Amino acid sequence: MSETDPFDEIVAAETDRDPDLAVIEAGSRTLRTQGGPPEADVPARPEDPEVDKALREVEAELATRWGETKLEPSVDRIAALMDVLGEPQRSYPSIHITGTNGKTSTARMIEALLGAFELRTGRYTSPHVQSVTERISLDGAPISAERFIETYQDIKPYIEMVDAAQEYRLSFFEVLTGMAYAAFADAPVDVAVVEVGMGGSWDATNVIDGDVAVVTPIDLDHTDRLGGTPGEIAVEKAGIIKQDATVVMAQQPVDAAQVLLKKAVEVDATVAREGLEFGVVSRQVAVGGQLLTLRGLGGEYEEVYLPLHGPYQAHNAAVALAAVEAFFGVGAQRPDPLDIDTVRKAFASVSSPGRLEVVRRSPTVVLDAAHNPAGARATAEAVGEAFDFSRLIGVVGASGDKNVRGLLEAFEPIFAEVVITQNSSHRAMDADELAAIAVEVFGEERVQVEPRLPDALEEAITLAEEDGEFAGGGVLVTGSVITVGEARLLLGRG
């Protein structure tokens, strides 16, 4: 490797999430795949009234259980469910993904790559944008409402059996995890791609032994449950690293990396680190996304088009590629890289609903599910790179258990004005409470309050249009996956 190799620059950058690589101005290069990227795969309500009724009944039953923010840190209940179901999660290999941000996008990229290599995939991610059925996918698409209902009914007697034997009933997330693992075994799938719900060690998904453990960037989120520093949070997340697995690590804060590497040594896991064994060699902004050269475990992959915006998505792509290479044994059992044309085809097909997703033009309305400061900073950077807005209006509705001040501070430099609102979830922060913090961050003259999301969207669109139809105004809806999902429905995408 020559001293001027751009990959050396990545190594030198160590934990810097955005290596100092040249980026072409947005729109200066066009590379489109046939037909462009696919429509985002977010299912609408079932058209059949009977199916819709049955799905609502299942949703109502699930809603009686502990929600995803109420936890009793233990895998005892999910392990008991797996036992009575006959250990379905052991009938297929798996790739297990933890981290703070980028898990779902990375999971979707991994799924696309595996599918392009003709493996039948099952993907389990959370939370959902619009429909609970999104969380369980087979062959790259959410399972049908009918199959979701059938899977629930099939395992319901076993759920009730475990409920009766345990101190606490299975939670909402534990039941869904059981459904996913059962659906994957029933399909059957060749490989499961599983995203943790929270943490790692005691997360309900952690009854699998992932052949590949993926750790996306760790930052501060859920600090009341996981710890107050990246290193403390990494202790929980390291719990998905199993004996003799391969660990694919995105670039991490130093204290988090030390924890992960220590755990890998303890269980004889092989480690592949972004910036050392793999990484982003170069990236250029292209129409509708970006053009990448990635360094994988088996060599370089050039001219890879990714129809997603932002430096962080390029890093997610590098992590996803390394994870799939590791799954296939590239760099260990086999020296050759994956077929480049198949890799290109897979990445060109990737979608990630609610992640810098454009849902309207004139003015442009973008949805992004950033819900913590690190995610917000990445989104703010990506918006500046991918869109040429002369005036950007924010619509922010956040959950009460998040670092909303940090979130708002990350967006302050790019929002001309912000419309504060709230979604319909019981977790939503009161709009007036959120607005009080926003005034401290933005100043009173840049903050408006519209508690109802439809009113907030209308107001933001009006503000974006103030400089005229062709002036380049835009709207970014953010702060919560739930806010984004509800906005998506209101704007006709679902």
Side-chain angles (χ1 to χ4, degrees):
M1 186 181 297
S2 69
E3 291 185 0
T4 58
D5 192 314
F7 196 70
D8 286 343
E9 297 176 17
I10 300 175
V11 176
E14 294 179 342
T15 60
D16 185 358
R17 284 292 299 162
D18 186 20
D20 188 17
L21 302 171
V23 178
I24 295 178
E25 289 290 326
S28 63
R29 178 159 187 161
T30 304
L31 180 68
R32 290 191 181 279
T33 55
Q34 286 189 335
E39 286 295 309
D41 52 342
V42 177
R45 297 298 308 184
E47 293 184 5
D48 186 324
E50 291 302 313
V51 176
D52 188 51
K53 179 184 176 184
L55 179 58
R56 289 184 188 278
E57 289 173 353
V58 173
E59 290 169 333
E61 289 187 24
L62 290 171
T64 66
R65 297 180 175 274
W66 276 1
E68 289 169 281
T69 59
K70 186 172 183 180
L71 304 167
E72 192 276 316
S74 163
V75 293
D76 292 346
R77 292 174 301 282
I78 188 67
L81 180 60
M82 292 297 99
D83 182 51
V84 297
L85 289 175
E87 304 291 344
Q89 82 283 13
R90 310 230 180 262
S91 62
Y92 39 79
S94 58
I95 297 175
H96 204 177
I97 306 169
T98 190
T100 302
N101 291 306
K103 296 188 295 295
T104 298
S105 293
T106 302
R108 285 176 170 274
M109 294 179 197
I110 291 171
E111 172 189 54
L113 283 163
L114 293 168
F117 284 99
E118 300 185 351
L119 291 184
R120 186 161 206 207
T121 58
R123 172 172 54 83
Y124 181 53
T125 53
S126 61
H128 56 273
V129 177
Q130 286 176 203
S131 171
V132 69
T133 60
E134 295 166 40
R135 297 183 180 224
I136 305 172
S137 289
L138 292 172
D139 297 321
I143 64 173
S144 66
E146 291 89 345
R147 190 161 194 165
F148 186 89
I149 296 161
E150 180 183 352
T151 302
Y152 176 74
Q153 297 298 345
D154 283 347
I155 73 169
K156 183 178 178 180
Y158 302 97
I159 293 169
E160 293 171 345
M161 189 185 309
V162 173
D163 282 344
Q166 296 288 322
E167 182 180 1
Y168 303 107
R169 296 170 71 214
L170 288 154
S171 69
F172 169 86
F173 186 73
E174 287 168 335
V175 171
L176 283 174
T177 302
M179 289 172 61
Y181 289 162
F184 296 162
D186 185 59
V189 302
D190 296 316
V191 54
V193 182
V194 177
E195 173 190 336
V196 303
M198 186 186 300
S201 296
W202 41 258
D203 187 73
T205 62
N206 204 30
V207 288
I208 58 171
D209 292 326
D211 301 74
V212 178
V214 176
V215 188
T216 67
I218 293 174
D219 211 296
L220 302 183
D221 198 10
H222 303 295
T223 53
D224 56 329
R225 298 180 178 89
L226 301 179
T229 67
E232 290 174 355
I233 293 171
V235 173
E236 281 299 328
K237 296 186 183 293
I240 73 163
I241 301 173
K242 304 297 173 61
Q243 190 73 34
D244 299 322
T246 299
V247 186
V248 176
M249 282 174 46
Q251 290 177 325
Q252 304 289 349
V254 173
D255 57 343
Q258 290 172 339
V259 170
L260 296 169
L261 291 171
K262 181 181 177 183
K263 178 60 182 287
V265 169
E266 290 172 356
V267 298
D268 294 322
T270 302
V271 179
R273 298 156 292 180
E274 183 183 9
L276 293 173
E277 285 77 24
F278 68 93
V280 180
V281 175
S282 67
R283 52 182 296 273
Q284 301 170 343
V285 175
V287 173
Q290 52 194 307
L291 188 65
L292 309 176
T293 296
L294 302 175
R295 174 69 57 84
L297 305 179
E300 285 197 4
Y301 299 78
E302 299 179 339
E303 299 281 312
V304 175
Y305 176 69
L306 179 68
L308 300 175
H309 300 291
Y312 67 98
Q313 293 289 20
H315 290 280
N316 290 341
V319 170
L321 176 62
V324 173
E325 286 183 308
F327 182 79
F328 284 125
V330 173
Q333 290 91 358
R334 48 180 284 190
D336 299 326
L338 301 176
D339 179 71
I340 182 61
D341 290 332
T342 305
V343 169
R344 288 172 179 155
K345 178 182 176 182
F347 276 119
S349 73
V350 171
S351 68
S352 195
R355 277 77 181 176
L356 282 181
E357 179 185 17
V358 176
V359 293
R360 173 185 161 147
R361 299 286 186 181
S362 297
T364 299
V365 178
V366 182
L367 307 180
D368 191 87
H371 56 271
N372 57 47
R377 288 191 295 271
T379 295
E381 179 185 12
V383 167
E385 176 185 278
F387 301 95
D388 189 23
F389 292 127
S390 60
R391 173 181 169 85
L392 181 62
I393 310 300
V395 175
V396 179
S399 296
D401 58 347
K402 297 296 181 180
N403 178 0
V404 294
R405 181 180 295 275
L407 179 108
L408 292 169
E409 288 173 345
F411 284 123
E412 189 277 331
I414 68 167
F415 287 163
E417 296 184 55
V418 62
V419 182
I420 298 299
T421 189
Q422 65 188 75
N423 58 57
S424 63
S425 167
H426 69 279
R427 293 173 56 200
M429 177 175 278
D430 177 77
D432 289 334
E433 184 182 350
L434 180 57
I437 300 172
V439 166
E440 294 176 4
V441 173
F442 288 84
E444 188 173 355
E445 69 283 355
R446 293 169 62 194
V447 177
Q448 296 200 30
V449 185
E450 293 289 352
R452 295 183 65 253
L453 183 56
D455 297 336
L457 291 171
E458 184 177 349
E459 178 63 20
I461 289 169
T462 301
L463 289 169
E465 291 174 333
E466 280 186 355
D467 291 338
E469 183 179 355
F470 303 107
V475 175
L476 175 64
V477 184
T478 189
S480 162
V481 175
I482 299 166
T483 300
V484 163
E486 292 181 357
R488 208 171 182 281
L489 281 170
L490 289 166
L491 293 165
R493 293 296 294 269

